[in-house]
Amino acid sequence: MQASTPPPPPAAPSGTAVPFDSTAQLMTEISIQLGDRLSRVRLRGLPPRPRAARPPGVPCPAGPPDASRPVRPPVVSHPTLVAVAHGSRDPAALRTVTALLDRIRELRPGLAVRLGHIELNAPLLPDTLAELDGRAVAVPLLLARGLHADHDIPAALADAPHLATRLARPLGPHPLLADALHARLEEAGARRPSAVVLAAAGSRAPASAADTARTARLLSDRLGGVPVLPAYASAPADGGPPGTPLSVPAALRALAARGHRRPALASCFTAPGRFAAQCAAAAPGPAAAPLGDHPALARLVLHRYDQALAARGGCVQDSPGAATVTV
């Protein structure tokens, strides 16, 4: 059913006010009079700027300049995304990280994506930065804060004064990281585990343990409340004083004491390597593969890149020697 426009109010002698029968008629009259008034409005402005004279010898473009030639928007150059991997002697690590970068390029066509390693693999981060110009955002492929994210990568960026750089946060903790961990557990056959050990590399930095513990809570939520105990490949296997981070064997023993004899192991590693293999070998139950090129991890890398560009506290400058901004 279509609404009809109310009829105008009845005519009346000049100077006589005629009441409206309804609010709709009143609104119609207001619209008519307002439209009539607005049609007479003329905006005042400055005269158009005269066109610059064409230099001698430069021919005019063929055809009318406005009617037949489409206006092309200016090309915007996005900062290069520099993915910073740790590096490993395991040949599978470089293949895995390369596959992750390929997936990132598929998700963001046209974005320049480069790889730099902290150690052990080429290209090393300083070499990658030396080949770039303009702007770059370094995104650590690290899953928690630590010495590499807090010191090594910022030092490498500071040694590249020819670039305007920003440093994104490590990938974890984040719900997308929990999604990727959950998916890898399911692929390993751990669809409904009674408990999970979240195996990570570990670091001397206290913030690293805090980030991994937060990731463990996110994964527990993703699993519907299943206990998830963080453990570290670099922790002493026989434990230590109270407050010492658990090693993977110690975490497995702690869960066994609670009745979980075959907990699953979630691999909180970006790529294969010695620590990832060592943790998987200790698992009595299903052990998930490293995260690799999982789509959720690729989206998380781009999220950190976008986050760094959108961060307040200073714009990415186009001039060389811009300060690095950690996000």
Side-chain angles (χ1 to χ4, degrees):
M1 178 177 179
Q2 295 182 348
S4 58
T5 304
S14 176
T16 304
V18 178
F20 291 93
D21 294 334
S22 66
T23 303
Q25 284 188 345
L26 174 62
M27 297 304 298
T28 300
E29 181 64 18
I30 290 174
S31 300
I32 293 172
Q33 293 192 27
L34 182 60
D36 179 65
R37 300 298 191 278
L38 290 176
S39 66
R40 304 175 188 178
V41 173
R42 293 293 182 268
L43 297 178
R44 295 182 180 180
L46 297 175
R49 295 177 61 185
R51 296 180 62 181
R54 185 171 300 279
V58 178
C60 292
D66 298 325
S68 62
R69 282 185 173 271
V71 178
R72 296 183 179 180
V75 177
V76 178
S77 176
H78 297 285
T80 299
L81 189 160
V82 179
V84 186
H86 183 278
S88 172
R89 292 185 178 88
D90 188 332
L94 181 57
R95 294 195 298 269
T96 301
V97 172
T98 301
L100 173 61
L101 267 58
D102 288 340
R103 189 177 291 277
I104 293 168
R105 294 183 184 101
E106 292 173 1
L107 291 174
R108 190 74 59 89
L111 176 64
V113 180
R114 301 290 297 275
L115 174 62
H117 291 92
I118 297 170
E119 58 183 357
L120 301 176
N121 288 115
L124 293 173
L125 178 57
D127 297 332
T128 297
L129 297 175
E131 295 175 355
L132 299 177
D133 54 26
R135 301 179 296 161
V137 176
V139 182
L141 301 183
L142 307 173
L143 306 182
R145 289 171 291 176
L147 296 177
H148 291 315
D150 296 341
H151 299 284
D152 297 341
I153 300 176
L157 298 181
D159 287 339
H162 64 289
L163 288 175
T165 58
R166 287 197 176 204
L167 175 57
R169 288 192 55 182
L171 301 184
H174 194 276
L176 283 172
L177 176 57
D179 288 347
L181 289 164
H182 177 248
R184 290 294 189 230
L185 281 171
E186 288 194 331
E187 292 170 3
R191 294 187 177 276
R192 295 181 179 177
S194 64
V196 174
V197 171
L198 179 65
S203 168
R204 294 189 298 273
S208 176
D211 285 350
T212 305
R214 173 61 178 155
T215 297
R217 291 193 294 271
L218 290 171
L219 179 57
S220 176
D221 293 342
R222 186 69 177 78
L223 290 166
V226 167
V228 177
L229 196 58
Y232 306 93
S234 59
D238 55 355
T244 301
L246 292 176
S247 66
V248 171
L252 291 169
R253 290 193 298 268
L255 288 176
R258 304 179 197 174
H260 303 289
R261 300 293 177 181
R262 285 178 57 82
L265 184 133
S267 185
C268 199
F269 298 97
T270 305
R274 178 172 63 89
F275 278 168
Q278 172 186 315
C279 294
L291 300 172
D293 65 339
H294 191 275
L297 197 67
R299 293 198 300 273
L300 180 52
V301 173
L302 288 171
H303 172 70
R304 292 300 193 208
Y305 170 87
D306 294 336
Q307 220 177 21
L309 288 182
R312 302 185 64 174
C315 298
V316 180
Q317 301 179 24
D318 291 329
S319 59
T324 296
V325 179
T326 304
V327 182

